[in-house]
Amino acid sequence: MTILGIDPGYGTIGYGVVRYDNLKFTPVQYGAVTTKSGMPMHLRLCEIYEDIFTLVDTFHPDEVAIEELFFSKNITTGIQVAQARGVILLALAQKGLHPVSYTPNQVKMAVVGYGNAEKMQMMEMTKSILHLTKLPRPDDAADALALAICHGHSAQALRYR
């Protein structure tokens, strides 16, 4: 199964594509798509929409994992990320995909085994699970890879039920 992990944002959207087969993860590609700061929000959202279409058309994922939003102190940023996430979900739906949302704590539990893991612990475990030679960068891509790993573990558990 090919899994696309997406870390939503409006300036940087992390993505990670992995193949999952018999409890083994193989990295395919990871990175980030970006929009220009200062660009009107509606144009940024259009770019995000097109970028998601391109990712789906390029990698043909079987399943998609996306991070659930949590609001921190800056509500304005949270609203903008929520708008971008909505556009991402729309693009995925129009491609016939049914993304599964995971909270940051669920991802940490699946990857590190501890729901309050630190960022560096997550990156190190992601590197280890995927047998990468260096830490995945940018951070948004590392988060997207961790989402894909989380989904692989969760999808496996669902198949056994």
Side-chain angles (χ1 to χ4, degrees):
M1 147 174 64
T2 300
I3 305 168
L4 169 62
I6 299 175
D7 181 29
Y10 62 93
T12 304
I13 299 91
Y15 71 90
V17 182
V18 300
R19 285 205 180 84
Y20 180 67
D21 185 36
N22 293 328
L23 302 177
K24 181 182 177 198
F25 291 96
T26 305
V28 175
Q29 186 169 326
Y30 58 91
V33 293
T34 60
T35 63
K36 291 182 183 176
S37 178
M39 177 185 274
M41 190 63 176
H42 68 285
L43 296 177
R44 291 176 104 166
L45 295 174
C46 285
E47 271 193 34
I48 292 166
Y49 179 85
E50 291 168 5
D51 288 339
I52 296 302
F53 262 53
T54 300
L55 287 171
V56 170
D57 288 343
T58 301
F59 298 108
H60 307 286
D62 300 303
E63 301 193 17
V64 180
I66 187 167
E67 187 172 73
E68 187 67 52
L69 293 185
F70 62 98
F71 287 92
S72 58
K73 296 175 186 172
N74 189 340
I75 191 73
T76 301
T77 299
I79 290 169
Q80 291 171 323
V81 173
Q83 290 173 333
R85 187 176 187 276
V87 165
I88 291 166
L89 293 173
L90 172 64
L92 294 169
Q94 289 185 336
K95 286 293 190 176
L97 294 164
H98 306 279
V100 179
S101 297
Y102 296 96
T103 66
N105 282 356
Q106 287 175 308
V107 177
K108 291 174 183 179
M109 280 296 295
V111 175
V112 179
Y114 176 59
N116 291 319
E118 297 294 327
K119 184 78 159 176
M120 191 51 69
Q121 289 173 296
M122 286 287 295
M123 292 175 77
E124 287 288 348
M125 280 303 295
T126 299
K127 174 187 164 196
S128 176
I129 290 168
L130 296 175
H131 305 287
L132 299 172
T133 57
K134 58 185 178 178
L135 290 177
R137 296 285 185 191
D139 289 359
D140 306 275
D143 292 345
L145 287 169
L147 278 154
I149 292 167
C150 174
H151 185 70
H153 288 310
S154 297
Q156 183 69 19
L158 290 174
R159 279 191 284 278
Y160 285 115
R161 287 185 189 158

